[in-house]
Amino acid sequence: LTWDHKVPRAKGGTDKPHNLVTACFLCNQEKGMLRADEFRAVIQMRRWKYQQAAPKEFAKLFKQELTLEDHAFLYQIGVEAI
């Protein structure tokens, strides 16, 4: 686990406890300089996108190399990437 800033320091966030949360390394990397609410919206959009995909299209994800973005999303929804 890593420390993550709800409001990134680059956007005026502080290192005070109320602005810090723990996050896995990949999620922290993926979130980058987004605020927590912005990142949550991105995850929700991805979840909707993958839920709308036909099972055949979803299966294609596992036949190609996963991007960091795909891995972070799958981790968020509890799917273990191979």
Side-chain angles (χ1 to χ4, degrees):
L1 290 177
T2 62
W3 287 111
D4 187 31
H5 295 82
K6 292 179 191 176
V7 177
R9 287 183 288 174
K11 291 187 177 181
T14 68
D15 289 331
K16 297 194 179 205
H18 69 275
N19 192 44
L20 296 173
V21 295
T22 56
C24 76
F25 177 78
L26 288 174
C27 290
N28 196 352
Q29 289 280 19
E30 181 68 21
K31 179 180 167 278
M33 292 193 326
L34 296 175
R35 293 186 325 260
D37 60 329
E38 294 170 331
F39 186 59
R40 196 173 303 112
V42 168
I43 294 298
Q44 291 296 328
M45 290 286 285
R46 288 185 197 149
R47 182 174 292 142
W48 180 84
K49 173 183 158 187
Y50 284 106
Q51 285 173 344
Q52 300 303 313
K56 190 181 211 181
E57 292 173 14
F58 188 73
K60 286 180 188 175
L61 281 176
F62 295 98
K63 292 181 182 174
Q64 60 185 324
E65 192 172 322
L66 295 175
T67 65
L68 205 101
E69 178 181 293
D70 292 332
H71 182 79
F73 169 73
L74 293 172
Y75 179 81
Q76 284 287 330
I77 63 169
V79 175
E80 202 171 303
I82 300 171

